Amino acid sequence: MKKKIGFIIIDGKGVLIGLLQGNRKEVLYKTSVDLPKKHGRGGQSAVRFGRLRMEKRNNFLKKVAEASVSHFISEDQKIEVSGIILGGSADFKNDLNVSEMFDNRLRNKVLQIVDISYGGEAGFNQAVEMCSHSLANIKFVKEKKIIQAFFDEISRDSGKYVFGIEETLKALLTGVIEKLLVWENMTLFRVVFFNSKTNLEHLLFDEENKIEERLECEKLGNKNELIIKEKTPLLDWFVENRKQLGYSLFFVSDRTPEGNQFTKGFGGIGGILRYPIEMDFDSEEI
């Protein structure tokens, strides 16, 4: 699952709140504002004008702060973005970041503050382009950290690790896996077959175009007796079952040395366990 990055593009003309997930951009909220310019004359009128100007400016920041909460924090108070980028052509982005009105939970998620030439959707696009390299670096830093933690368990021979498709799925169903690491481009399917003659279910994991061949090799019964009950991309199955089975899911690439070693040397799937266990299950239990 690709991480969600929130964007707040703010200047003296308005604000746009957007979301970036992978290559998909989405505008969540957009509004314009008409703030008074600085007053050029002196005297008491200038003081009053300055006070009104600051009041309207603070009201605008308050509106932006409230909109940020409504779009980035769910009703059950869960933060729905992995990070936030603040962008703009004036000081509003900095003022928002230090304002007491800006929710501290969101402030802690700010990854970068960028100066951009535009507001609105043009500014959103510019901010995404400017941050693309640093966002990729953030992803790879997190990826290296979780894979290194996996390697550390192996090097300590702690018994709190598992890898390979069969062993990992066995551990997964016991609820012992705390963190599941999976190659983001895995193309395996989880296929459940039912044998109408024996009334038994069988489970296979393989590439979609190799399933028929596996049926022949596994000798699960006559092809006419086998009914496919489920056929799900394994990555989707991991996403759908992570809450029920109680694990954190980490998709990793093969574009870092650690990721490359994980995908090629460990089959692109493994887990960090809550406690050491001895794996000894029947494969039909998966």
Side-chain angles (χ1 to χ4, degrees):
M1 181 180 294
K2 296 184 184 297
K3 300 289 187 181
K4 296 179 181 179
I5 303 296
F7 282 75
I8 302 175
I9 309 301
I10 180 173
D11 59 19
K13 296 180 180 178
V15 65
L16 177 146
I17 295 176
L19 200 63
L20 175 70
Q21 187 172 21
N23 294 322
R24 180 173 172 266
K25 295 194 293 286
E26 180 184 359
V27 175
L28 304 177
Y29 174 81
K30 185 179 178 182
T31 189
S32 58
V33 66
D34 184 18
L35 296 176
K37 308 296 181 185
K38 288 185 178 180
H39 193 53
R41 292 174 293 181
Q44 291 184 348
S45 61
V47 174
R48 286 195 300 271
F49 185 86
R51 192 161 47 242
L52 286 172
R53 179 174 174 273
M54 288 305 300
E55 185 179 325
K56 289 188 176 182
R57 184 185 180 99
N58 287 335
N59 288 340
F60 174 52
L61 287 175
K62 181 181 179 183
K63 186 176 182 179
V64 172
E66 291 172 347
S68 302
V69 169
S70 66
H71 290 287
F72 292 153
I73 300 179
S74 64
E75 290 184 2
D76 59 358
Q77 300 303 301
K78 180 182 177 183
I79 310 297
E80 297 192 318
V81 290
S82 300
I84 294 174
I85 304 294
L86 297 179
S89 59
D91 292 332
F92 282 96
K93 58 188 180 296
N94 299 309
D95 293 343
L96 177 66
N97 190 47
V98 299
S99 171
E100 293 181 357
M101 295 179 284
F102 192 41
D103 194 291
N104 205 47
R105 294 168 294 175
L106 297 181
R107 190 187 347 268
N108 291 335
K109 289 288 183 179
V110 173
L111 302 171
Q112 195 171 349
I113 301 175
V114 294
D115 289 308
I116 52 179
S117 306
Y118 312 100
E121 293 188 45
F124 185 16
N125 293 334
Q126 188 183 12
V128 169
E129 181 67 26
M130 289 178 67
C131 296
S132 58
H133 182 69
S134 59
L135 291 178
N137 287 342
I138 291 166
K139 177 185 184 300
F140 291 142
V141 166
K142 290 181 178 179
E143 177 177 303
K144 287 184 177 187
K145 186 175 180 180
I146 187 63
I147 296 176
Q148 190 57 56
F150 173 77
F151 289 161
D152 287 346
E153 297 294 343
I154 295 174
S155 65
R156 288 197 297 266
D157 196 21
S158 66
K160 291 174 58 181
Y161 63 89
V162 66
F163 59 87
I165 187 70
E166 298 287 345
E167 294 299 308
T168 301
L169 284 162
K170 290 173 188 176
L172 203 61
L173 292 185
T174 69
V176 72
I177 289 185
E178 181 179 9
K179 297 174 182 177
L180 177 65
L181 288 68
V182 186
W183 182 37
E184 63 185 3
N185 291 325
M186 178 180 282
T187 55
L188 295 181
F189 275 72
R190 179 182 185 273
V191 186
V192 180
F193 289 94
F194 176 74
N195 187 315
S196 59
K197 185 176 181 179
T198 63
N199 288 329
L200 294 176
E201 282 191 355
H202 304 276
L203 194 60
L204 290 178
F205 301 95
D206 213 327
E207 306 288 344
E208 188 173 22
N209 60 359
K210 295 181 180 178
I211 292 172
E212 293 292 328
E213 182 182 331
R214 281 287 301 279
L215 284 177
E216 299 285 348
C217 296
E218 299 284 343
K219 297 180 181 179
L220 301 177
N222 188 298
K223 273 206 252 186
N224 295 327
E225 299 167 351
L226 298 175
I227 302 168
I228 296 179
K229 290 187 67 177
E230 296 177 35
K231 187 171 77 170
T232 311
L234 197 50
L235 292 184
D236 291 350
W237 190 86
F238 287 142
V239 172
E240 291 166 4
N241 287 275
R242 68 189 189 281
K243 289 185 179 179
Q244 179 184 344
L245 295 175
Y247 56 85
S248 299
L249 180 58
F250 298 85
F251 289 123
V252 301
S253 74
D254 56 2
R255 298 191 297 276
T256 64
E258 294 84 357
N260 189 265
Q261 183 181 354
F262 177 76
T263 55
K264 291 185 176 178
F266 296 87
I269 182 170
I272 298 174
L273 311 184
R274 303 179 197 280
Y275 48 83
I277 62 168
E278 292 184 12
M279 300 302 298
D280 185 20
F281 302 106
D282 188 322
S283 61
E284 290 295 326
E285 294 178 10
I286 302 176

